[in-house]
Structures are given as C-alpha cells and as structure tokens.
Amino acid sequence: MHRDPSDTKMQDNLKKTVTALSKDIGSRSYLQRESLTKVVHYIAGELTQYGYDVSLQSYKAQGVIYKNLIAEVKGSGSPERVILVGAHYDTVTGTPGADDNASGIAGLLELARLLRKHSFRKTVQFVAFTLEEPPFFKTELMGSYVYAKSLNEKNVAIEGVLCLEMIGYFTEEPGSQHFPLPFLGLLYPDKGNFIALVSNLKSKRFLLRVKDAFKKATDLPLETLSTFSIIPGVDFSDHWSFWEFGYPALMVTDTGFYRNPNYHSSCDTPETLNYECMAEVVSGLKSVIEELARD
C-alpha cells in the first residue's frame, strides 16, 4: 500500500473528526437539533481554521431550519466550472454514525485541508449536507437535493460530483462482502477490503476518469460499478440528488450495509474503523481532484 510521510497526520485527523462527531457529539438525527448545531459549528470551525470562508445554505423542513455548509477553492482559469466533493453529517436517530457518515465528513475535511493552498483552473467545492437519512432520504428535502436544485437554477457548470458515503470500514475476513444481486458475487471480491466507486450509466465516463486518477496515488483495492439505479444501494446517498438534475456524480463507499455489520446501529463507533485505509482513500481522492480541477 502507498506510503507517504503525511499518512500519520492524515490518520490522526480522520480519527479526530470521527471521534468528535460520533463520540463527543453522538447521534445527530433530524430530531436532535442541538447536536446538529454542534456539528455545524465543528465543521465550520475546522474549515475556517484551514483558511476557508464558509457559507451556509439554510432551508426549512417540517417547520425547522437545517443547514448545508459550503467552502471552496476558487479556480483561477475557469472558475465557473466546478468539481464538487460532498458528504452528509446527519445520522439515523440513536446511532453514533462513525462510518455513516462521520467517516465521509472526516474525508471531506481532510481533503479540504490538503487542497486549501492549491492553485486550480476550475473551482473545487466542499459541501457538508444535512438530512440525508430518513425520513428525508430520496426526497426534495434532502440537503443535497436542495443544494443541487440551487445549482441547477443558477446554471452552475458542475463537471462532476464525488459523494463520500461511508469510507471507513474494511476487513480481510473471507465472506465479509455481500452484494444486492447474487451474480455480482462472481464479479467482485468476497473480502470487504476495497473501496468502491458507484455511478449511474450517464456518469460512467466520469467514473472512469476518477478511477484512473485514484489508482495513480494508492494501491488500495478499488472496485467500480456503473449501472442502473434499480439495483438496491446504487442510488442510496447524496449522489442521487445530483443525478436528478443530470449532473455526473458518483458515490465513494465501503459499500455500507453490504459489509459493515454495525450499519445504523449503536455499534457504529470510532473503534470499528480502519484509519489507515481511510487515509489511502483520501490520498486517492486528492489525486482525483487535482487531476480533474487542473484539466
């Protein structure tokens, strides 16, 4: 596996964020407004510390105000063209949500830190979404849907979206990886030791570009799937929102409940995650963003 002197710092940062969200704050569902406010302050504080100006997109759901957070590295050549990295920060009620999805937010923040002082032709946006989980899942009140809709209304040129959805659970146990359809088990590994890129067919070209750039930075096992949304799990995150508006988007995932036995339970804690592998995921995505934003 690829090694870099910054690996230890990356792992420490990833673990710090996962611990802060899932242990110090804990469950952060749509019902737990105080917890969600703490998460917003944490994410905004980290991004501000890295030198970003953070903006909030507030909107109302069931009479309550919820917030997306946005930070960006403005492009110097074609700033109107945008590469977007996103992850949701809410959880199912009563779950610590270390993997789902403190791991995604940890990856988002670490990428923001690593790329803050880079110079890109295109603009790179980092967006933390609210309300991905039920009862708002796959509705127009998802934070990502609200944000994607606002981009569409402004005719923003989104060239690709990377949604980080559970990137922390890895295992070498044979038979640990499961699939929504039996035949997929013939095509992919039976060990949950890889990270996956999942897209719809319209986003396949974008997925292949991401795959190539990712593999330049790390030899962490990588699997890809570009297929129809009717396969269970393929559209189970914020990338769905961007597909609804025709944007190329994919999910970066450890495959969630097809691998992680702690999914949506009280056992989804920081101790269950592999921060070494998470750091490799971040390294791969950093390479992806650098290539996409400079092209």
Side-chain angles (χ1 to χ4, degrees):
M1 197 174 288
H2 174 79
R3 286 291 175 268
D4 184 281
S6 65
D7 277 355
T8 300
K9 181 174 178 58
M10 289 170 62
Q11 291 178 43
D12 289 344
N13 286 345
L14 292 165
K15 188 173 184 179
K16 181 192 75 171
T17 295
V18 170
T19 301
L21 268 58
S22 61
K23 187 175 181 179
D24 299 342
I25 297 175
S27 180
R28 45 201 184 277
S29 78
Y30 75 104
L31 296 172
Q32 297 164 301
R33 302 175 198 173
E34 184 177 348
S35 293
L36 289 178
T37 298
K38 290 179 180 178
V39 177
V40 168
H41 288 164
Y42 179 87
I43 295 172
E46 292 296 292
L47 290 170
T48 300
Q49 178 183 321
Y50 300 150
Y52 289 92
D53 293 324
V54 181
S55 59
L56 299 176
Q57 182 187 40
S58 300
Y59 69 97
K60 188 173 290 187
Q62 295 185 355
V64 178
I65 298 297
Y66 297 96
K67 299 175 181 179
N68 294 323
L69 297 91
I70 306 101
E72 66 178 26
V73 178
K74 199 75 171 179
S76 58
S78 302
E80 75 283 357
R81 300 163 68 186
V82 178
I83 305 299
L84 194 152
V85 187
H88 74 89
Y89 62 81
D90 61 316
T91 69
V92 168
T93 305
T95 66
D99 197 24
D100 188 15
N101 190 32
S103 66
I105 290 295
L108 179 82
L109 291 178
E110 189 61 3
L111 286 167
R113 181 185 72 85
L114 293 169
L115 296 171
R116 176 64 187 96
K117 296 182 180 180
H118 280 50
S119 177
F120 297 121
R121 285 184 54 78
K122 305 172 187 176
T123 295
V124 178
Q125 286 193 351
F126 303 95
V127 189
F129 302 119
T130 188
L131 301 191
E132 188 269 356
E133 300 287 2
F136 303 104
F137 177 65
K138 292 183 74 174
T139 74
E140 295 183 4
L141 290 176
M142 281 179 73
S144 54
Y145 188 97
V146 172
Y147 191 64
K149 182 180 180 181
S150 71
L151 296 174
N152 181 257
E153 291 173 345
K154 298 173 185 175
N155 294 315
V156 177
I158 300 294
E159 297 208 345
V161 180
L162 304 166
C163 285
L164 282 57
E165 176 61 60
M166 304 180 68
I167 62 168
Y169 190 88
F170 297 83
T171 175
E172 295 290 340
E173 185 72 25
S176 57
Q177 184 65 52
H178 307 285
F179 302 94
L181 299 174
F183 79 90
L184 292 174
L186 302 175
L187 304 176
Y188 294 95
D190 74 337
K191 295 180 181 179
N193 62 356
F194 60 87
I195 196 72
L197 306 177
V198 181
S199 81
N200 60 358
L201 293 176
K202 289 184 178 180
S203 303
K204 184 173 182 178
R205 183 178 178 184
F206 176 61
L207 179 146
L208 293 176
R209 291 188 67 196
V210 172
K211 175 184 177 181
D212 289 344
F214 188 97
K215 295 179 75 171
K216 292 177 183 178
T218 174
D219 58 4
L220 179 75
L222 174 69
E223 300 291 340
T224 64
L225 176 65
S226 183
T227 187
F228 302 99
S229 297
I230 58 173
I231 296 179
V234 167
D235 60 356
F236 282 12
S237 192
D238 294 300
H239 56 302
W240 168 83
S241 299
F242 293 91
W243 291 352
E244 290 293 288
F245 292 94
Y247 293 124
L250 58 80
M251 172 172 57
V252 183
T253 181
D254 60 22
T255 75
F257 55 87
Y258 290 117
R259 174 189 306 178
N260 190 340
N262 307 309
Y263 176 79
H264 281 190
S265 79
S266 60
C267 298
D268 186 10
T269 59
E271 299 78 21
T272 63
L273 304 191
N274 186 319
Y275 297 96
E276 182 179 357
C277 289
M278 282 180 66
E280 293 297 331
V281 173
V282 171
S283 293
L285 292 176
K286 176 175 178 286
S287 172
V288 168
I289 296 165
E290 290 171 338
E291 185 162 315
L292 293 176
R294 287 175 177 160
D295 184 9

